[in-house]
Amino acid sequence: MAVPIAVLDCDLLLYGRGHRTLDRFKLEDVTDEYLVSTYGFPRQFIYYLVDLLGASLSRPTQRSRAISPETQILAALGFYTSGSFQTRMGDAIGISQASMSRCVANVTEALVERAPQFIHFPEDEAAVQSLKDDFYGLAGMPGVLGVVDCTHVAIKAPNAEDLSYVNRKGLHSLNCLMVCDARGVLLSAETHWPGSLPDCTVLQQAALTSHFESELHKDGWLLGDSSFFLQTWLMTPLHIPETPAEYRYNMAHSATHNVIERTFRTIRSRFRCLDGSKGTLQYSPEKSSHIILACCVLHNISLEHGLDVWSSPATGHLEQAEEDYEQMESMDSEACRVRQELLLTHFS
């Protein structure tokens, strides 16, 4: 049900009179159905975000201190889940479009600050083993620590001269490298890469690669598709399987790797600002990257709260750009040996 509230003066909302907090919308005044349909999440989830982010959103140095943390969070959720700054959204919570934009910026930065808290690989042995067991239960692929892939998110053109964000389809985008577990929880998210970079180049330059090559587990690996090069810590499918064992390996690999495709669809469906149906993200690459990362944080938090139903595919305008795969697996003989041992041990 709609809450009839007049839009307040923007300067009053941004600066306030004596920096008093302005509360014009009360969660207890509306139904759960209204909150889910308008802001994408139920009441208790929103209360959790208020507790989590409240201190950051009330800092005296922020210009929008006069707007309560609760209202700022509702404004941001409204944008993330609808992809627009429609006037009716501001009307519902009693703020202008300009104030909504500022609220989104505040909440986005607060969520990005907390990304390491919610997006990370497990560290203790029991959690790592549980991660492997969950993946093994999907299709019998052993030793998997995560599945990795890239997805593009459309952004506005930074400027006429900068072609680094133009992808293979001629659209401006960010190429986002992500890793998830068997439930779709994100373990890593690098959202800042220019859309012109192919997936294999993104991975080569990513912090994820340095992490795995220098310090992560030696008794497991990520699964990546054919857009990546085979590594000792990254198992890719065989380009042309010939034996029954190779076919079984490829089938198990595909069934397990599919988790991240479903995760991408879930994120785009839940956060429509990313799916292209409302147009591109109208921000600089840096701010767009932060919005994507903020949505990733919210995705993980929502899974922690049991909101883990796989969503239907989004109907966005931008799909994953196809790569020309030209694998050169023989360049890393040790990686070939590791995969061959995996084939002999588990799929022969």
Side-chain angles (χ1 to χ4, degrees), residues 29-49:
D29 291 340
V30 296
T31 65
D32 273 325
E33 290 75 12
Y34 173 79
L35 290 173
V36 172
S37 65
T38 307
Y39 305 103
F41 294 96
R43 189 185 318 276
Q44 291 305 315
F45 183 86
I46 297 171
Y47 281 141
Y48 173 82
L49 292 181

Side-chain angles (χ1 to χ4, degrees), residues 121-193:
F121 282 90
E123 297 181 356
D124 64 274
E125 290 187 15
V128 171
Q129 187 58 51
S130 178
L131 186 65
K132 294 179 182 179
D133 292 344
D134 288 345
F135 274 118
Y136 188 79
L138 294 179
M141 180 70 77
V144 180
L145 300 169
V147 290
V148 59
D149 207 349
C150 288
T151 188
H152 287 257
V153 176
I155 62 172
K156 74 173 183 178
N159 57 62
E161 292 74 30
D162 191 351
L163 300 179
S164 64
Y165 293 92
V166 179
N167 62 34
R168 289 168 52 87
K169 293 189 175 183
L171 303 172
H172 290 82
S173 68
L174 290 168
N175 195 3
C176 305
L177 178 73
M178 301 187 192
V179 180
C180 74
D181 69 10
R183 281 207 312 128
V185 174
L186 295 174
L187 306 174
S188 176
E190 299 184 35
T191 60
H192 62 283
W193 297 101

